[in-house]
Amino acid sequence: MHEDRDACFRALRARDARFDGRFFTCVRSTGIYCRPTCPAGPPKPENMVFLPSAAAAQQAGFRPCLRCRPETAPQLGAWPGSSATVRRALTLIAEGTTDAGDLAGRLGVDEPELQRLFRQDLGASPNAVAETRRTLFAKQLVTDTALPLSSVALAAGFANIAQFNTEMQALYGRPPGELRRSRIAPAGPAVELRLAYQPPYDWDGIIGFLAARAIPGVEAVRDGCYARSITLDGAVGTITVRPAKQGPALIAAIRFPVLSALPLIVARIRRIFDLGANPALIAEHLATDPHLAGLVALRPGLRVPGAWDGFELAVRAILGQQITVAGATKLAGKLAGLYGTPLPEPADGLTHVFPLPEHIADADLALTLGMPRSRGAALRGMAQAAAADHRLFDPGRGLDEAIARLVALPGIGEWTAQYIAMRALREPDAFPAADIGLMRAMATPEGRPTAKALLARAAAWRPWRAYAALQLWASDPLTPTQEKIIEPVA
């Protein structure tokens, strides 16, 4: 996008929100970079440089605009031409891995190749991307919360307040205290942050999907808001997410005792609600299929719901094998009540955090949950694998490698592995072809397609097959009440 100057000029003149987050305008005469939606008057064309990311702009020596606030721009995780390796690397960076060598090893590429891909797609190195995320997140906390500046420094990941002050002064040309709004609300029990997305966004679609699968005691959906308990490194808390009253954004209220965990919590909320998607790009591609075109038009902005935790989602998928959604959520709630950690202050239907793998690795779940021995063994095997490998649900080296890793576990077939990859690993091309709901949605007067025929038809939907699956599920009237799995439980 940033290489097409004419398109960038048009988007800038129109302040077109569809391009927000897809490029940034750098102004040589002022040394400032802006979003394409900036309310300031456009500078002279000869003074403008268009770059693909905030990191590229800051690495080139430009500072963020205080009017359009680049820290609040949508963080698009999928855009034209970007590599899957970069998308997975961005997920790892958001979750705290910033060393380029470590990133390369976890992604299965050498470091020079990773550096090349980042320069090609983002115009900046992995380290510059990580540093930019930190400073922009700090700016959002300074501007939008009443946290003390020392707490902001800790929450954003700075080593100390001195480093925070130095880097913010260098970037913004003023001390952090001068960036704070004078009318900011007093600090409350929760940190509230505005998380932007690229419209359109089908909130009803994603909240309906999550509501149907909410684990009792762990998740709750009330009055169009999503709430859940969370745990990280032994600490527990809660999050609540609702649509913003104005503008394309969600409001996340985070109650957690460890401020340094805020970036990871925000990254996981973005993952649950698929805030990094580029809906226009995805819809344009899927609409080339005559069957999907009508569905996309009916449900614009439909997202792929993610998961807070890969292990929790994997357990939920195993519990759902061959039973109804309601039955599976009831079993998951019972599991959480028996083995999960109680919340210190239960509220709004949230009573426990979901158990860690270590909590159920040796449990007789078939007996305690009243299920077939084979499914209990599958849950135990998943728990043991997750306890032994804390990176089991990392983005890793790609969809094929992830599927192979998962189906090697007892009781995990192709459907379950693809479902986990879709929702927990955020693989946009994951596709559970052996799915009765998908087959039903693609039925013709001659009958339903086979899994093989559906997979062949879905080849044209790549690399967005997961989004095609959500469109098909949304069109199937039986989807909310019945799990869509036909694989046998090993």
Side-chain angles (χ1 to χ4, degrees):
M1 175 67 193
H2 71 285
E3 294 177 347
D4 187 341
R5 287 182 63 85
D6 290 339
C8 290
F9 281 131
R10 290 194 298 272
L12 187 63
R13 284 195 296 268
R15 295 190 176 94
D16 194 333
R18 294 175 301 171
F19 297 92
D20 196 9
R22 290 178 59 184
F23 73 90
F24 291 87
T25 303
C26 303
V27 186
R28 293 192 184 98
S29 56
T30 62
I32 291 174
Y33 75 92
C34 301
R35 298 157 65 180
T37 55
C38 186
K44 296 179 179 179
E46 60 268 23
N47 289 332
M48 286 189 277
V49 176
F50 300 111
L51 293 178
S53 68
Q58 290 186 196
Q59 194 171 40
F62 294 91
R63 64 182 185 275
C65 175
L66 295 179
R67 293 189 65 182
C68 66
R69 300 183 57 198
E71 73 271 13
T72 62
Q75 296 179 15
L76 301 183
W79 57 91
S82 65
S83 72
T85 298
V86 170
R87 292 199 297 272
R88 296 184 185 104
L90 289 175
T91 298
L92 293 174
I93 289 173
E95 297 198 351
T97 302
T98 57
D99 179 76
D102 190 14
L103 280 172
R106 293 172 70 175
L107 294 166
V109 298
D110 59 34
E111 187 175 343
E113 174 65 6
L114 183 65
Q115 295 279 3
R116 184 191 69 80
L117 290 172
F118 264 72
R119 288 193 301 271
Q120 170 186 292
D121 288 354
L122 298 175
S125 67
N127 186 58
V129 169
E131 289 182 359
T132 299
R133 282 177 174 263
R134 182 179 64 184
T135 54
L136 292 184
F137 185 61
K139 169 60 167 54
Q140 185 176 16
L141 293 177
V142 168
T143 305
D144 294 348
T145 77
L147 288 173
L149 294 181
S150 58
S151 297
V152 170
L154 174 65
F158 289 91
N160 50 57
I161 188 68
Q163 183 194 30
F164 166 67
N165 287 333
T166 298
E167 291 195 18
M168 297 298 282
Q169 174 76 43
L171 181 59
Y172 288 96
R174 63 192 71 186
E178 292 185 13
L179 298 170
R180 174 148 280 171
R181 292 174 174 175
S182 59
R183 296 183 180 179
I184 195 164
V191 175
E192 284 203 358
L193 292 173
R194 183 182 176 90
L195 308 180
Y197 56 76
Q198 183 69 252
Y201 192 98
D202 186 357
W203 173 257
D204 289 342
I206 200 165
I207 203 69
F209 188 99
L210 294 173
R213 293 157 181 79
I215 300 172
V218 175
E219 301 172 283
V221 176
R222 288 191 177 90
D223 300 323
C225 296
Y226 173 83
R228 68 160 295 130
S229 60
I230 61 174
T231 180
L232 292 169
D233 296 327
V236 299
T238 63
I239 59 172
T240 303
V241 183
R242 67 183 189 276
K245 292 182 179 179
Q246 293 183 338
L250 303 182
I251 304 298
I254 302 166
R255 293 171 174 83
F256 200 75
V258 183
L259 284 174
S260 59
L262 275 180
L264 175 56
I265 293 171
V266 170
R268 292 198 180 189
I269 294 172
R270 290 184 180 278
R271 181 172 70 187
I272 292 172
F273 292 94
D274 197 16
L275 299 186
N278 187 331
L281 169 71
I282 297 167
E284 181 182 7
H285 181 77
L286 296 182
T288 58
D289 184 292
H291 185 83
L292 290 180
L295 302 181
V296 170
L298 285 173
R299 303 301 295 265
L302 187 65
R303 309 293 171 116
V304 176
W308 167 259
D309 176 76
F311 173 67
E312 177 186 308
L313 190 279
V315 169
R316 175 61 185 74
I318 294 171
L319 288 173
Q321 291 174 346
Q322 300 175 339
I323 64 174
T324 65
V325 168
T329 55
K330 184 178 180 180
L331 282 177
K334 184 177 181 180
L335 178 70
L338 289 171
Y339 298 99
T341 302
L343 288 176
E345 298 180 7
D348 300 324
L350 304 181
T351 60
H352 292 74
V353 294
F354 198 79
L356 299 175
E358 295 82 0
H359 295 164
I360 62 174
D362 297 317
D364 188 346
L365 298 177
L367 177 64
T368 57
L369 298 181
M371 61 170 51
R373 305 294 308 180
S374 59
R375 196 165 304 138
L379 289 171
R380 190 166 55 250
M382 175 61 71
Q384 291 170 352
D389 181 6
H390 292 287
R391 294 181 175 179
L392 181 63
F393 302 104
D394 273 6
R397 306 185 179 194
L399 177 60
D400 292 342
E401 191 270 346
I403 297 301
R405 185 172 71 239
L406 291 169
V407 297
L409 300 175
I412 303 299
E414 180 76 12
W415 185 97
T416 305
Q418 291 282 350
Y419 187 74
I420 293 170
M422 176 191 295
R423 295 194 57 202
L425 305 187
R426 302 305 308 161
E427 287 289 345
D429 204 36
F431 189 72
D435 179 282
I436 195 169
L438 298 182
M439 295 176 186
R440 191 164 50 228
M442 289 297 294
T444 66
E446 288 72 37
R448 299 174 186 171
T450 63
K452 183 177 180 180
L454 181 58
L455 193 62
R457 174 73 177 272
W461 305 338
R462 305 190 79 164
W464 310 116
R465 292 185 301 178
Y467 292 87
L470 261 292
Q471 290 287 355
L472 293 172
W473 282 338
S475 73
D476 178 12
L478 295 182
T479 292
T481 59
Q482 181 176 335
E483 288 287 31
K484 307 156 293 299
I485 178 170
I486 61 174
E487 68 185 28
V489 180

